[in-house]
Amino acid sequence: MAKKSSFNNYVSDYFDRNSSGRADLVAGDSFNSLGFKQKKTDVLELVEHHALRLKSDTDSLKICDVGCNDGAFIEYLLGIQAEIDLYGVDVSRKALAKAKANSNLDKVSFDLVDGESGDLPFADETFDIITSIEVIEHVEDKDKMLSEIYRILKPGGVVVLTTPNKESVALNLQVFLVGFIRYCFGKKGHKDIFIDEKGFEELYKKVGFLCEKKDILYWIRPYLTISYSTYTLGLLLPFMLPVPSIFLLYYQRMLNKYFGRFFKTRLITRFFCWSIFVVLRK
Ligand SMILES: C[S@@+](CC[C@H](N)C(=O)[O-])C[C@H]1O[C@@H](n2cnc3c(N)ncnc32)[C@H](O)[C@@H]1O
C-alpha cells in the first residue's frame, strides 16, 4: 500500500486523538458544541427538505455523511420523516469506533476512507443525498473528494457541504488564538486548507455540479467567540460559564430573524460568519 502523505497522516492522527468529548472542548474543538449544534440544525433542515422531495413510495432513500466523525450528525438524521438508509464514512478509525459503539446508530453502516487515495468505498450512483460538514478544508486533494462525491451520487441527487469561510476575520483570529493556546499546552492543532466562496465555486463547477443554493450559515460569531473563551477558561476553571444552550440558540434565532439581512451583508459576513454552505445537484 502506498505510504500516506504527511498531510493525510496528520489529519487522520489528529482526528483519532480528538474525536469529541470534554477534553477537546477545553482544547478548542468540539463537534457537539453549541456552534456545531446550530450548524447541524441548519443543515438538517436542508436535508429534510430534499429528503421529502426525493422520497418515493417504493425505495428507501440512501443518505451518506462524508467525514461523519463519531456520527453526531447522523443521529440528527434519524429523525427525518422518510424511509432512509444511513451511511457514514471517515478517515479516523477511533471516531468510527465511537460511532459504532453508539447503540442509537446500530442500523447505520460505517466505513473507513483511505485518506491517501480519497476513494469512497461505494459503487457509482448509490446515494440520493450526501452531507459533508466541515470536512473539505481538511482534505488536500479537494478535486478528488468532490469527484468521488459526484460519482457516488445518483443523478438528481444533492449534496450539502459546509466549510469555514476563509474570508472571515473572526475565523482567522480564532484559528490563530486557539492554535497559540494549544501550542502553549503542547497540543497540535488542526491542519486546514481553507477555501473561500469563489474557490469553492470553481471546485464544484469543475466537477460538474449545479449549485442549487449557496449561503452563509446563520451562525453569528460573537457568541461563539464567547463560548470558545469559556472553553479556554475551562482549562483553568473546572466549570464553564453556565449559559444555557437554549438561551443562546434563542438569541441566535432572534438575531437572524430581525437582523438577518444586515448580518448577510458582505462586510459583516467577511468579519463574522464562520461557515459557508452549498447545496449542489448532480
Ligand atoms: C471538523 S470534523 C467534522 C466532523 C463532522 N462532520 C461534524 O460536523 O461533526 C472533520 C472530520 O473529517 C474527517 N476527514 C478528514 N479528511 C477526510 C477524508 N478525506 N474523507 C473523509 N473524512 C475525512 C475527520 O476525520 C473528521 O472526523
Side-chain angles (χ1 to χ4, degrees), residues 85-107:
D85 295 330
L86 290 166
Y87 297 75
V89 289
D90 204 286
V91 289
S92 163
R93 276 176 207 280
K94 290 216 176 126
L96 287 179
K98 268 193 176 166
K100 287 179 185 168
N102 180 346
S103 58
N104 293 334
L105 300 176
D106 53 12
K107 294 214 170 68

PDB file of all heavy atoms in Angstrom, residues 85-107:
ATOM      1  N   ASP A  85     -31.881   4.862   4.567  1.00  0.00           N
ATOM      2  CA  ASP A  85     -30.744   4.030   4.962  1.00  0.00           C
ATOM      3  C   ASP A  85     -29.580   4.976   5.150  1.00  0.00           C
ATOM      4  O   ASP A  85     -29.282   5.772   4.254  1.00  0.00           O
ATOM      5  CB  ASP A  85     -30.382   3.029   3.862  1.00  0.00           C
ATOM      6  CG  ASP A  85     -31.489   2.024   3.634  1.00  0.00           C
ATOM      7  OD1 ASP A  85     -32.209   1.719   4.600  1.00  0.00           O
ATOM      8  OD2 ASP A  85     -31.629   1.568   2.482  1.00  0.00           O
ATOM      9  N   LEU A  86     -28.947   4.869   6.309  1.00  0.00           N
ATOM     10  CA  LEU A  86     -27.891   5.833   6.623  1.00  0.00           C
ATOM     11  C   LEU A  86     -26.504   5.204   6.586  1.00  0.00           C
ATOM     12  O   LEU A  86     -26.307   4.071   7.040  1.00  0.00           O
ATOM     13  CB  LEU A  86     -28.139   6.425   8.006  1.00  0.00           C
ATOM     14  CG  LEU A  86     -29.340   7.370   8.104  1.00  0.00           C
ATOM     15  CD1 LEU A  86     -29.716   7.651   9.544  1.00  0.00           C
ATOM     16  CD2 LEU A  86     -29.020   8.678   7.389  1.00  0.00           C
ATOM     17  N   TYR A  87     -25.557   5.992   6.059  1.00  0.00           N
ATOM     18  CA  TYR A  87     -24.169   5.553   5.950  1.00  0.00           C
ATOM     19  C   TYR A  87     -23.267   6.681   6.437  1.00  0.00           C
ATOM     20  O   TYR A  87     -23.599   7.859   6.275  1.00  0.00           O
ATOM     21  CB  TYR A  87     -23.795   5.257   4.488  1.00  0.00           C
ATOM     22  CG  TYR A  87     -24.578   4.123   3.886  1.00  0.00           C
ATOM     23  CD1 TYR A  87     -25.907   4.307   3.502  1.00  0.00           C
ATOM     24  CD2 TYR A  87     -24.005   2.868   3.723  1.00  0.00           C
ATOM     25  CE1 TYR A  87     -26.643   3.264   2.971  1.00  0.00           C
ATOM     26  CE2 TYR A  87     -24.732   1.818   3.179  1.00  0.00           C
ATOM     27  CZ  TYR A  87     -26.051   2.021   2.807  1.00  0.00           C
ATOM     28  OH  TYR A  87     -26.777   0.986   2.280  1.00  0.00           O
ATOM     29  N   GLY A  88     -22.125   6.288   6.985  1.00  0.00           N
ATOM     30  CA  GLY A  88     -21.154   7.306   7.399  1.00  0.00           C
ATOM     31  C   GLY A  88     -19.752   6.833   7.066  1.00  0.00           C
ATOM     32  O   GLY A  88     -19.447   5.641   7.207  1.00  0.00           O
ATOM     33  N   VAL A  89     -18.906   7.748   6.590  1.00  0.00           N
ATOM     34  CA  VAL A  89     -17.508   7.393   6.314  1.00  0.00           C
ATOM     35  C   VAL A  89     -16.583   8.439   6.922  1.00  0.00           C
ATOM     36  O   VAL A  89     -16.948   9.611   7.041  1.00  0.00           O
ATOM     37  CB  VAL A  89     -17.210   7.274   4.791  1.00  0.00           C
ATOM     38  CG1 VAL A  89     -17.850   6.053   4.196  1.00  0.00           C
ATOM     39  CG2 VAL A  89     -17.613   8.519   4.032  1.00  0.00           C
ATOM     40  N   ASP A  90     -15.394   7.983   7.293  1.00  0.00           N
ATOM     41  CA  ASP A  90     -14.422   8.906   7.885  1.00  0.00           C
ATOM     42  C   ASP A  90     -13.022   8.297   7.743  1.00  0.00           C
ATOM     43  O   ASP A  90     -12.888   7.086   7.522  1.00  0.00           O
ATOM     44  CB  ASP A  90     -14.741   9.142   9.375  1.00  0.00           C
ATOM     45  CG  ASP A  90     -14.176  10.461   9.872  1.00  0.00           C
ATOM     46  OD1 ASP A  90     -12.940  10.555  10.070  1.00  0.00           O
ATOM     47  OD2 ASP A  90     -14.955  11.419  10.025  1.00  0.00           O
ATOM     48  N   VAL A  91     -12.011   9.147   7.887  1.00  0.00           N
ATOM     49  CA  VAL A  91     -10.632   8.628   7.850  1.00  0.00           C
ATOM     50  C   VAL A  91     -10.139   8.254   9.249  1.00  0.00           C
ATOM     51  O   VAL A  91      -9.065   7.673   9.382  1.00  0.00           O
ATOM     52  CB  VAL A  91      -9.624   9.653   7.248  1.00  0.00           C
ATOM     53  CG1 VAL A  91      -9.827   9.832   5.767  1.00  0.00           C
ATOM     54  CG2 VAL A  91      -9.688  10.997   7.970  1.00  0.00           C
ATOM     55  N   SER A  92     -10.901   8.617  10.273  1.00  0.00           N
ATOM     56  CA  SER A  92     -10.441   8.344  11.636  1.00  0.00           C
ATOM     57  C   SER A  92     -11.047   7.047  12.167  1.00  0.00           C
ATOM     58  O   SER A  92     -12.256   6.944  12.357  1.00  0.00           O
ATOM     59  CB  SER A  92     -10.823   9.521  12.549  1.00  0.00           C
ATOM     60  OG  SER A  92     -10.742   9.126  13.895  1.00  0.00           O
ATOM     61  N   ARG A  93     -10.160   6.074  12.411  1.00  0.00           N
ATOM     62  CA  ARG A  93     -10.629   4.792  12.944  1.00  0.00           C
ATOM     63  C   ARG A  93     -11.280   4.974  14.305  1.00  0.00           C
ATOM     64  O   ARG A  93     -12.279   4.350  14.631  1.00  0.00           O
ATOM     65  CB  ARG A  93      -9.427   3.853  13.152  1.00  0.00           C
ATOM     66  CG  ARG A  93      -9.016   3.109  11.944  1.00  0.00           C
ATOM     67  CD  ARG A  93      -7.756   2.288  12.231  1.00  0.00           C
ATOM     68  NE  ARG A  93      -7.042   2.106  10.988  1.00  0.00           N
ATOM     69  CZ  ARG A  93      -7.354   1.210  10.074  1.00  0.00           C
ATOM     70  NH1 ARG A  93      -8.356   0.389  10.281  1.00  0.00           N
ATOM     71  NH2 ARG A  93      -6.663   1.116   8.953  1.00  0.00           N
ATOM     72  N   LYS A  94     -10.665   5.827  15.131  1.00  0.00           N
ATOM     73  CA  LYS A  94     -11.169   5.980  16.505  1.00  0.00           C
ATOM     74  C   LYS A  94     -12.545   6.626  16.511  1.00  0.00           C
ATOM     75  O   LYS A  94     -13.414   6.243  17.284  1.00  0.00           O
ATOM     76  CB  LYS A  94     -10.192   6.800  17.336  1.00  0.00           C
ATOM     77  CG  LYS A  94      -8.925   6.027  17.611  1.00  0.00           C
ATOM     78  CD  LYS A  94      -8.388   6.328  18.986  1.00  0.00           C
ATOM     79  CE  LYS A  94      -7.169   5.450  19.239  1.00  0.00           C
ATOM     80  NZ  LYS A  94      -6.007   6.207  19.618  1.00  0.00           N
ATOM     81  N   ALA A  95     -12.726   7.637  15.653  1.00  0.00           N
ATOM     82  CA  ALA A  95     -14.037   8.290  15.595  1.00  0.00           C
ATOM     83  C   ALA A  95     -15.081   7.266  15.144  1.00  0.00           C
ATOM     84  O   ALA A  95     -16.187   7.202  15.690  1.00  0.00           O
ATOM     85  CB  ALA A  95     -13.990   9.481  14.651  1.00  0.00           C
ATOM     86  N   LEU A  96     -14.714   6.443  14.155  1.00  0.00           N
ATOM     87  CA  LEU A  96     -15.669   5.433  13.671  1.00  0.00           C
ATOM     88  C   LEU A  96     -15.965   4.396  14.748  1.00  0.00           C
ATOM     89  O   LEU A  96     -17.106   3.934  14.883  1.00  0.00           O
ATOM     90  CB  LEU A  96     -15.128   4.745  12.418  1.00  0.00           C
ATOM     91  CG  LEU A  96     -15.146   5.595  11.135  1.00  0.00           C
ATOM     92  CD1 LEU A  96     -14.557   4.810   9.969  1.00  0.00           C
ATOM     93  CD2 LEU A  96     -16.567   6.036  10.773  1.00  0.00           C
ATOM     94  N   ALA A  97     -14.944   4.069  15.551  1.00  0.00           N
ATOM     95  CA  ALA A  97     -15.172   3.097  16.631  1.00  0.00           C
ATOM     96  C   ALA A  97     -16.213   3.672  17.608  1.00  0.00           C
ATOM     97  O   ALA A  97     -17.095   2.958  18.090  1.00  0.00           O
ATOM     98  CB  ALA A  97     -13.865   2.790  17.344  1.00  0.00           C
ATOM     99  N   LYS A  98     -16.118   4.966  17.877  1.00  0.00           N
ATOM    100  CA  LYS A  98     -17.105   5.609  18.761  1.00  0.00           C
ATOM    101  C   LYS A  98     -18.494   5.553  18.146  1.00  0.00           C
ATOM    102  O   LYS A  98     -19.478   5.285  18.823  1.00  0.00           O
ATOM    103  CB  LYS A  98     -16.747   7.085  18.958  1.00  0.00           C
ATOM    104  CG  LYS A  98     -15.895   7.324  20.146  1.00  0.00           C
ATOM    105  CD  LYS A  98     -15.867   8.805  20.439  1.00  0.00           C
ATOM    106  CE  LYS A  98     -15.081   9.019  21.708  1.00  0.00           C
ATOM    107  NZ  LYS A  98     -14.711  10.398  21.920  1.00  0.00           N
ATOM    108  N   ALA A  99     -18.532   5.849  16.853  1.00  0.00           N
ATOM    109  CA  ALA A  99     -19.827   5.839  16.164  1.00  0.00           C
ATOM    110  C   ALA A  99     -20.443   4.447  16.248  1.00  0.00           C
ATOM    111  O   ALA A  99     -21.630   4.288  16.537  1.00  0.00           O
ATOM    112  CB  ALA A  99     -19.643   6.267  14.710  1.00  0.00           C
ATOM    113  N   LYS A 100     -19.609   3.430  16.027  1.00  0.00           N
ATOM    114  CA  LYS A 100     -20.132   2.058  16.021  1.00  0.00           C
ATOM    115  C   LYS A 100     -20.575   1.620  17.411  1.00  0.00           C
ATOM    116  O   LYS A 100     -21.428   0.763  17.564  1.00  0.00           O
ATOM    117  CB  LYS A 100     -19.076   1.098  15.482  1.00  0.00           C
ATOM    118  CG  LYS A 100     -18.881   1.233  13.975  1.00  0.00           C
ATOM    119  CD  LYS A 100     -17.816   0.286  13.475  1.00  0.00           C
ATOM    120  CE  LYS A 100     -17.537   0.521  12.003  1.00  0.00           C
ATOM    121  NZ  LYS A 100     -16.348  -0.158  11.528  1.00  0.00           N
ATOM    122  N   ALA A 101     -19.959   2.225  18.439  1.00  0.00           N
ATOM    123  CA  ALA A 101     -20.312   1.844  19.818  1.00  0.00           C
ATOM    124  C   ALA A 101     -21.599   2.530  20.280  1.00  0.00           C
ATOM    125  O   ALA A 101     -22.122   2.215  21.340  1.00  0.00           O
ATOM    126  CB  ALA A 101     -19.172   2.210  20.758  1.00  0.00           C
ATOM    127  N   ASN A 102     -22.094   3.470  19.497  1.00  0.00           N
ATOM    128  CA  ASN A 102     -23.312   4.197  19.895  1.00  0.00           C
ATOM    129  C   ASN A 102     -24.543   3.370  19.508  1.00  0.00           C
ATOM    130  O   ASN A 102     -24.836   3.175  18.327  1.00  0.00           O
ATOM    131  CB  ASN A 102     -23.309   5.561  19.175  1.00  0.00           C
ATOM    132  CG  ASN A 102     -24.520   6.406  19.516  1.00  0.00           C
ATOM    133  OD1 ASN A 102     -25.502   5.913  20.070  1.00  0.00           O
ATOM    134  ND2 ASN A 102     -24.447   7.677  19.177  1.00  0.00           N
ATOM    135  N   SER A 103     -25.261   2.910  20.526  1.00  0.00           N
ATOM    136  CA  SER A 103     -26.376   1.996  20.241  1.00  0.00           C
ATOM    137  C   SER A 103     -27.494   2.670  19.433  1.00  0.00           C
ATOM    138  O   SER A 103     -28.266   1.998  18.753  1.00  0.00           O
ATOM    139  CB  SER A 103     -26.921   1.397  21.532  1.00  0.00           C
ATOM    140  OG  SER A 103     -27.334   2.452  22.362  1.00  0.00           O
ATOM    141  N   ASN A 104     -27.573   4.006  19.496  1.00  0.00           N
ATOM    142  CA  ASN A 104     -28.594   4.686  18.675  1.00  0.00           C
ATOM    143  C   ASN A 104     -28.296   4.546  17.188  1.00  0.00           C
ATOM    144  O   ASN A 104     -29.154   4.800  16.342  1.00  0.00           O
ATOM    145  CB  ASN A 104     -28.624   6.193  18.971  1.00  0.00           C
ATOM    146  CG  ASN A 104     -29.100   6.475  20.364  1.00  0.00           C
ATOM    147  OD1 ASN A 104     -29.840   5.679  20.926  1.00  0.00           O
ATOM    148  ND2 ASN A 104     -28.662   7.589  20.929  1.00  0.00           N
ATOM    149  N   LEU A 105     -27.043   4.210  16.882  1.00  0.00           N
ATOM    150  CA  LEU A 105     -26.633   4.186  15.469  1.00  0.00           C
ATOM    151  C   LEU A 105     -26.414   2.762  14.965  1.00  0.00           C
ATOM    152  O   LEU A 105     -25.714   2.555  13.974  1.00  0.00           O
ATOM    153  CB  LEU A 105     -25.337   5.004  15.295  1.00  0.00           C
ATOM    154  CG  LEU A 105     -25.432   6.487  15.685  1.00  0.00           C
ATOM    155  CD1 LEU A 105     -24.073   7.164  15.569  1.00  0.00           C
ATOM    156  CD2 LEU A 105     -26.442   7.216  14.797  1.00  0.00           C
ATOM    157  N   ASP A 106     -27.013   1.783  15.656  1.00  0.00           N
ATOM    158  CA  ASP A 106     -26.655   0.423  15.237  1.00  0.00           C
ATOM    159  C   ASP A 106     -27.240   0.002  13.883  1.00  0.00           C
ATOM    160  O   ASP A 106     -26.824  -1.007  13.328  1.00  0.00           O
ATOM    161  CB  ASP A 106     -26.898  -0.625  16.354  1.00  0.00           C
ATOM    162  CG  ASP A 106     -28.297  -0.560  16.904  1.00  0.00           C
ATOM    163  OD1 ASP A 106     -29.115   0.128  16.266  1.00  0.00           O
ATOM    164  OD2 ASP A 106     -28.572  -1.176  17.950  1.00  0.00           O
ATOM    165  N   LYS A 107     -28.127   0.799  13.326  1.00  0.00           N
ATOM    166  CA  LYS A 107     -28.624   0.451  11.986  1.00  0.00           C
ATOM    167  C   LYS A 107     -27.836   1.182  10.897  1.00  0.00           C
ATOM    168  O   LYS A 107     -28.102   1.032   9.706  1.00  0.00           O
ATOM    169  CB  LYS A 107     -30.104   0.822  11.862  1.00  0.00           C
ATOM    170  CG  LYS A 107     -30.999   0.000  12.774  1.00  0.00           C
ATOM    171  CD  LYS A 107     -32.352  -0.252  12.108  1.00  0.00           C
ATOM    172  CE  LYS A 107     -33.190  -1.261  12.848  1.00  0.00           C
ATOM    173  NZ  LYS A 107     -33.667  -0.782  14.156  1.00  0.00           N
TER     174      LYS A 107
END
